[in-house]
Amino acid sequence: MSVVGFDLGFQSCYVAVARAGGIETVANEYSDRCTPSFVSFGPRNRSIGAAAKSQVVTNCQNTVQGFKRFHGRAFTDPYIQSVKSNLVYDLAQMPSGSTGIKVMYMEEEKVFSIEQVTGMLLTKLKETAESALKKPVADCVISVPSYFTDGERRSVMDAAQIAGLNCLRLMNETTAVTLAYGIYKQDLPAPEEKPRIVVFVDLGHSGYQVSVCAFNKGKLKILATAFDSELGGKGFDDILVNHFCEEFGKKYKLDVRSKPRALVRLYQECEKLKKLMSANSSDLPLNIECFMNDIDVSGKLNRGQFEEMCAGLLAKVEGPLRSVMEQTKLKKEDIYAVEIVGGASRIPSLKERISKFFGKELSTTLNADEAVARGCALQVQEFGLFSITDVVPYSISLKWNSAAEEGVSDCEVFPKNHAAPFSKVLTFFRKEPFTLEAYYSNSKELPYPNCSLGQFLIKNVVPQASGESAKVKVKVRVNVHGVFSVSNASLVEVLKTAEEEEPMETDQTAKEEEEVCTVCTVFARGRKRVMALGQTERQRNTETTTDDAKQEKKNDQPPQAKKPKVKTKTVELPIENNLHWQLSTDVLNMCVENEGKMIMQDKLEKERNDAKNNVEEYVYEMRDKLHGVLEKFVNEADRDTFSLKLEDTENWLYEDGEDQHKQVYVDKLAELKKMGQPIHERYMEAEERPKAFEELGRQIQLYMKIIEAYKAKVTWHREQVTRVDKQVNDAMAWMNSKMNQQNSQDLTLEPVVKVGEIQAKTKELYSTCNPVVSKPKPKVEPPKEEKTENGPVNGQEGTESQPCNPDKATSAGTEKGTAENKLPEMDID
Ligand code: ATP
Ligand code: MG
């Protein structure tokens, strides 16, 4: 199975596949590589992508778009509440409290969860990939903004599952871009050299992302990321729409926002205007005919005015740039290049500001629209082993109730920009089950009011046999999707030894860890002490850690005390996850099932529509042809009846036949074909007949020539040659008689002879005559000199005049060199 990369954009999506040793962005059924992120609901089916976008004006309240940022958010979230009033479709609260979309589908009011809606879009992208690859697709890499929180990421993962996709990795959009940039670079510094630092900027429709990446040969490491989730192409559209709403309000007394359809049209026109302004600085018109209440509206704007209006937005460009520079403590001279991607990176004033900030020309070596999808597809390819180290976007802490009831304790487990994916092991001393709550420690960093990631209950914890607290090792992890989890918990049981010794800690972490890990021991009293640190952070942290528990312990020991080793047994502990906005398995399964039903419904509806279109097409085709190529092949009375029937059908299609079951259309087409097919067949016969006769005639002539030559010179195989002679003469007689009969037959009647019969005759002639004329001469060696003197029969050279197998070729000479076309082997000397 192939692995596919999906760029799930706010406005549009791209699909990239690995094919023929390279990466290719594939086109959808409209031959467009860009698939709009739109889903439209109708009385009989859904439309997704370009088909949905085309309904955004006519079916605006049931055509959803701009839903990427609804993932992992409560309905009451301020973001949802603020965008709600600007949407032309309805949002609703799901039973879980998350955000749903309310539409009319199949003539009923339905609320779909955001996971379902994105699942629908992914279904479309999956189909696009499947039709390009001509095989089923399941494994994929999906992009998400680097600023997506755990809730948002898990929600996208659920959507993938609903679409029947197996998401191997959620990849940060800017990280996908860094990979697309770095993987083909041949001149990256060697691993031990100073890395090449490149800044990546993605300006999409909804957001603005910046990341700094350090490249060495075969690897990339993200150093920092920053973003403004409100600075994107959409923000500029909003400003233009506001401007024209106001202008048209004054100029034409129109309240544009009261009419969703008009608002949607204005958005479309403003986006076009915005794009035009990227290329032109002169005054540009905005005209919309029959905009509202039959009024045509018009306005104009130029780039200078636009930039003035957008001054507030443009001022936000620098913030994230400054932020990454501060986070990485890099100087502008350290930056090798600033690479920009995303549709909105084409806005000149945005480019200027970024370029001015860094004091250098921007680099645009990547495809601004497709780089994310390509990076996702690259991730899964074995294009050498390119190692990717991403970062944790927000600091993550854990808190828990301390065992000694001293209140709540906490510990930051992953600071911002910590390498990801990454695992750490924490050690607790507990006598009973306990709960860990994960949360984002710095709420100011979040584009999101809810800081909690979820709770993790570590079950089945029991005291040691001695009654003391048991040692519980908890592995926490930020996985490849950038999602935090408590991936494993185990209880270390101390097995009794003969001397009943004091338990001593044995550090098994190196064996346990898949990746470089840090070990942090958390004592029962709730104070956090860092005990031992993994290789990468050891040096840096030992200096700052004054409360090093292991050190303390070591210092407590008499220098020569050699304790006998204590045996331990590790018992896996169950973990109960309570994650925010995570769909339950039951709900997820139901969504998967419903998606399957909706796919089936869309398929049935497509078949029904195709059946209807077939009737319509046949009516138009036949109406034209009846007075054209088919005219000669139908008598006047039949033609009038058929014409009338076609006209009736056309009317029916617009009336009773407008909305029928597939079978009704299939039957209707069959009924029309019953009248039309014989006429069409007579026409086709008349078209093909001359060629068939010509082919038969040619074969007959060739055999005749060969037989002439045999009769004159050959003394063996006499009987067979006579039989062939008869066959050829019979075929000639048959052909002449059929031709004569057909020539006197009216074209409006069934032909006397069918093309199929003529072809069968040709084939028969060949299969009876060819073996005889190709038969080798009996083994009587003729004198050598004589043989060379005799050329081919009738002076014919090569294969051109040889009879050929009618099964293999339609005319002689077209298949030179095939076995059938060889000169007959019979030596006619
Ligand atoms: P996101 O990355 O936020 O999820 P997306 O990936 O769908 O969104 P892109 O396709 O990168 O977004 O960019 C779309 C935005 O770029 C739209 O706002 C579009 O109007 C804008 N855009 C595209 N071409 C131009 C242009 N020539 N001038 C100005 N803006 C443009
Ligand atoms: Mg994008």
Side-chain angles (χ1 to χ4, degrees):
M1 246 194 217
S2 300
V3 186
V4 173
F6 295 123
D7 170 9
L8 205 53
F10 188 96
Q11 189 187 48
S12 42
C13 303
Y14 291 84
V15 180
V17 300
R19 196 154 55 175
I23 295 290
E24 207 180 295
T25 317
V26 298
N28 57 25
E29 75 272 38
Y30 296 89
S31 306
D32 195 347
R33 295 204 292 268
C34 160
T35 296
S37 307
F38 284 64
V39 181
S40 184
F41 297 86
R44 286 180 172 277
N45 66 339
R46 316 171 292 181
S47 322
I48 307 165
K53 191 177 178 185
S54 68
Q55 292 181 34
V56 73
V57 175
T58 51
N59 184 22
C60 60
Q61 268 142 337
N62 300 305
T63 302
V64 299
Q65 53 159 319
F67 46 82
K68 173 168 170 176
R69 303 278 292 283
F70 300 166
H71 281 282
R73 285 182 191 266
F75 179 69
T76 51
D77 185 300
Y79 170 79
I80 301 285
Q81 290 308 309
S82 77
V83 294
K84 196 169 159 269
S85 51
N86 289 326
L87 295 173
V88 293
Y89 57 91
D90 267 344
L91 297 183
Q93 185 157 10
M94 298 304 289
S96 65
S98 64
T99 307
I101 281 156
K102 197 196 304 179
V103 285
M104 288 298 289
Y105 170 56
M106 304 286 286
E107 285 164 350
E108 270 177 47
E109 191 178 280
K110 291 263 184 193
V111 176
F112 291 106
S113 66
I114 177 62
E115 291 81 12
Q116 282 181 290
V117 178
T118 298
M120 297 175 193
L121 184 57
L122 285 169
T123 292
K124 181 82 204 169
L125 302 180
K126 182 180 172 213
E127 283 169 7
T128 302
E130 284 175 343
S131 63
L133 289 169
K134 300 194 175 51
K135 58 183 170 185
V137 162
D139 292 344
C140 64
V141 173
I142 301 174
S143 70
V144 288
S146 57
Y147 56 81
F148 257 25
T149 58
D150 266 35
E152 289 167 299
R153 287 168 195 265
R154 283 198 308 265
S155 177
V156 173
M157 296 282 283
D158 286 344
Q161 209 173 322
I162 292 171
L165 289 168
N166 174 33
C167 180
L168 301 175
R169 181 170 193 158
L170 278 188
M171 203 171 187
N172 288 333
E173 287 164 2
T174 41
T175 308
V177 177
T178 58
L179 184 59
Y181 174 91
I183 209 157
Y184 297 114
K185 291 271 180 292
Q186 298 295 323
D187 58 343
L188 293 177
E192 65 286 356
E193 286 175 35
K194 206 172 151 213
R196 178 180 298 174
I197 308 291
V198 182
V199 174
F200 291 87
V201 176
D202 181 353
L203 271 154
H205 190 56
S206 64
Y208 167 46
Q209 300 174 67
V210 185
S211 78
V212 182
C213 183
F215 290 99
N216 284 96
K217 227 174 205 82
K219 67 175 186 183
L220 68 83
K221 185 176 190 319
I222 307 293
L223 303 177
T225 62
F227 65 92
D228 186 328
S229 60
E230 267 142 43
L231 176 57
K234 186 173 178 304
F236 292 88
D237 296 348
D238 288 339
I239 290 174
L240 287 176
V241 167
N242 278 341
H243 166 78
F244 286 108
C245 277
E246 223 172 90
E247 185 174 319
F248 297 156
K250 279 188 207 143
K251 199 164 156 189
Y252 304 101
K253 307 271 169 296
L254 294 174
D255 176 9
V256 182
R257 293 193 184 275
S258 67
K259 280 256 173 74
R261 193 184 281 220
L263 191 60
V264 169
R265 288 184 71 195
L266 185 57
Y267 261 102
Q268 286 181 335
E269 293 307 317
C270 284
E271 194 191 359
K272 277 188 212 157
L273 178 66
K274 174 187 72 176
K275 289 183 181 174
L276 284 174
M277 284 191 293
S278 294
N280 298 280
S281 54
S282 53
D283 275 359
L284 293 167
L286 178 134
N287 300 316
I288 314 177
E289 279 176 21
C290 273
F291 181 55
M292 270 174 85
N293 315 336
D294 286 336
I295 297 175
D296 300 344
V297 293
S298 65
K300 64 177 176 105
L301 203 69
N302 63 42
R303 194 195 286 170
Q305 294 164 323
F306 176 55
E307 286 173 2
E308 232 167 77
M309 280 177 202
C310 300
L313 263 189
L314 293 169
K316 294 168 93 181
V317 173
E318 270 193 26
L321 302 177
R322 222 177 298 119
S323 166
V324 287
M325 296 306 283
E326 280 165 15
Q327 290 176 53
T328 53
K329 305 206 168 41
L330 287 167
K331 290 191 236 33
K332 288 175 187 164
E333 314 76 270
D334 299 328
I335 311 292
Y336 174 87
V338 180
E339 185 77 29
I340 52 162
V341 295
S345 69
R346 298 184 179 102
I347 297 177
S349 48
L350 283 176
K351 282 197 285 196
E352 272 159 33
R353 276 165 198 252
I354 300 169
S355 168
K356 198 166 147 218
F357 179 87
F358 288 104
K360 58 164 50 122
E361 279 287 300
L362 301 180
S363 157
T364 50
T365 56
L366 294 169
N367 181 315
D369 300 312
E370 299 171 12
V372 173
R374 297 173 74 86
C376 287
L378 274 168
Q379 156 63 23
V380 295
Q381 267 290 300
E382 293 125 20
F383 282 92
L385 286 171
F386 210 92
S387 133
I388 303 166
T389 310
D390 213 316
V391 287
V392 173
Y394 312 110
S395 351
I396 300 171
S397 292
L398 279 179
K399 66 179 168 200
W400 61 91
N401 280 321
S402 70
E405 267 138 52
E406 283 179 4
V408 179
S409 305
D410 60 13
C411 164
E412 186 173 88
V413 277
F414 291 107
K416 181 178 166 67
N417 290 342
H418 189 289
F422 209 96
S423 298
K424 290 186 178 188
V425 174
L426 311 171
T427 308
F428 291 83
F429 290 93
R430 290 300 172 113
K431 290 182 177 169
E432 54 201 18
F434 60 102
T435 301
L436 296 171
E437 175 166 0
Y439 68 101
Y440 290 120
S441 358
N442 190 352
S443 62
K444 279 190 232 119
E445 293 169 358
L446 285 184
Y448 192 69
N450 186 3
C451 291
S452 179
L453 300 173
Q455 286 88 29
F456 306 86
L457 170 62
I458 316 296
K459 295 164 87 171
N460 297 3
V461 181
V462 288
Q464 289 183 52
S466 64
E468 284 179 43
S469 296
K471 183 172 169 182
V472 179
K473 289 194 163 194
V474 175
K475 187 164 158 186
V476 293
R477 181 169 166 73
V478 172
N479 63 18
V480 282
H481 310 302
V483 172
F484 175 84
S485 67
V486 173
S487 57
N488 178 278
S490 56
L491 187 134
V492 186
E493 257 179 39
V494 180
L495 297 178
K496 268 192 176 176
T497 59
E499 293 95 19
E500 291 263 329
E501 305 191 31
E502 280 272 297
M504 191 184 90
E505 301 211 12
T506 48
D507 193 358
Q508 302 172 332
T509 49
K511 271 177 269 154
E512 286 170 12
E513 290 314 288
E514 307 151 21
E515 294 147 27
V516 190
C517 84
T518 308
V519 181
C520 165
T521 300
V522 184
F523 285 94
R525 278 189 211 100
R527 259 176 294 126
K528 175 187 69 179
R529 299 168 185 214
V530 178
M531 193 180 93
L533 294 146
Q535 301 109 336
T536 52
E537 299 200 333
R538 189 186 295 260
Q539 278 182 326
R540 187 160 22 114
N541 286 302
T542 41
E543 287 158 23
T544 53
T545 310
T546 51
D547 203 9
D548 189 319
K550 198 163 189 179
Q551 207 59 41
E552 264 175 28
K553 276 202 166 186
K554 276 191 184 152
N555 292 344
D556 286 349
Q557 313 296 325
Q560 263 101 35
K562 270 191 191 166
K563 287 206 171 187
K565 235 185 176 177
V566 175
K567 282 195 176 165
T568 58
K569 188 178 127 195
T570 306
V571 181
E572 289 285 308
L573 298 174
I575 306 162
E576 193 179 291
N577 296 330
N578 179 10
L579 300 164
H580 284 293
W581 311 127
Q582 179 80 53
L583 295 185
S584 71
T585 315
D586 287 352
V587 171
L588 202 53
N589 287 342
M590 205 163 73
C591 292
V592 171
E593 199 179 305
N594 283 339
E595 178 61 22
K597 283 185 192 157
M598 288 186 274
I599 291 173
M600 189 49 74
Q601 176 60 32
D602 291 344
K603 189 167 165 264
L604 290 176
E605 178 58 11
K606 184 177 180 301
E607 284 173 7
R608 194 186 73 88
N609 258 320
D610 288 349
K612 184 180 175 189
N613 287 340
N614 289 345
V615 176
E616 199 170 0
E617 268 171 32
Y618 192 73
V619 167
Y620 291 136
E621 183 193 332
M622 280 297 147
R623 231 182 20 195
D624 274 358
K625 286 188 175 167
L626 267 187
H627 301 285
V629 289
L630 298 183
E631 197 164 13
K632 287 188 286 191
F633 301 92
V634 56
N635 63 43
E636 215 173 319
D638 286 354
R639 188 171 59 229
D640 289 348
T641 319
F642 193 30
S643 282
L644 208 64
K645 181 87 188 158
L646 292 171
E647 207 178 308
D648 284 351
T649 310
E650 191 188 358
N651 293 335
W652 173 83
L653 279 170
Y654 290 106
E655 291 156 13
D656 295 351
E658 166 97 60
D659 198 7
Q660 293 288 338
H661 290 297
K662 174 186 161 189
Q663 197 53 43
V664 176
Y665 298 115
V666 171
D667 294 345
K668 185 61 94 184
L669 185 62
E671 201 182 312
L672 293 178
K673 282 196 169 171
K674 213 170 147 194
M675 297 173 85
Q677 204 64 6
I679 309 171
H680 196 257
E681 267 167 25
R682 289 199 287 275
Y683 159 70
M684 289 308 290
E685 283 286 325
E687 285 284 291
E688 299 297 322
R689 198 162 42 235
K691 278 181 254 166
F693 272 138
E694 198 181 306
E695 177 64 21
L696 177 60
R698 211 182 50 78
Q699 288 259 13
I700 291 171
Q701 276 198 358
L702 285 175
Y703 283 123
M704 279 181 156
K705 278 182 188 165
I706 294 171
I707 286 158
E708 280 303 298
Y710 282 12
K711 277 185 186 163
K713 300 182 184 170
V714 177
T715 50
W716 51 86
H717 300 322
R718 275 273 178 219
E719 273 169 49
Q720 285 106 317
V721 172
T722 315
R723 228 177 30 242
V724 168
D725 193 12
K726 185 173 175 328
Q727 285 276 348
V728 174
N729 285 325
D730 286 354
M732 170 83 110
W734 181 87
M735 185 173 97
N736 287 339
S737 126
K738 292 294 177 192
M739 269 178 140
N740 289 337
Q741 285 174 45
Q742 182 57 44
N743 286 344
S744 51
Q745 174 83 324
D746 193 313
L747 285 177
T748 63
L749 300 174
E750 265 298 91
V752 174
V753 60
K754 295 278 182 69
V755 169
E757 291 173 68
I758 307 169
Q759 285 168 342
K761 195 62 147 180
T762 314
K763 211 168 139 188
E764 185 195 322
L765 188 65
Y766 174 84
S767 48
T768 46
C769 303
N770 207 52
V772 178
V773 299
S774 324
K775 218 170 190 177
K777 158 187 170 184
K779 278 207 168 36
V780 178
E781 283 291 318
K784 273 183 184 165
E785 321 81 68
E786 276 181 47
K787 201 175 175 190
T788 49
E789 279 169 20
N790 293 292
V793 179
N794 289 350
Q796 306 227 358
E797 287 276 349
T799 58
E800 277 171 26
S801 63
Q802 297 312 313
C804 89
N805 184 347
D807 275 345
K808 306 271 173 181
T810 50
S811 65
T814 55
E815 292 207 352
K816 284 185 189 178
T818 61
E820 290 81 5
N821 281 348
K822 280 187 187 151
L823 274 167
E825 283 172 36
M826 180 188 270
D827 195 335
I828 51 171
D829 251 344

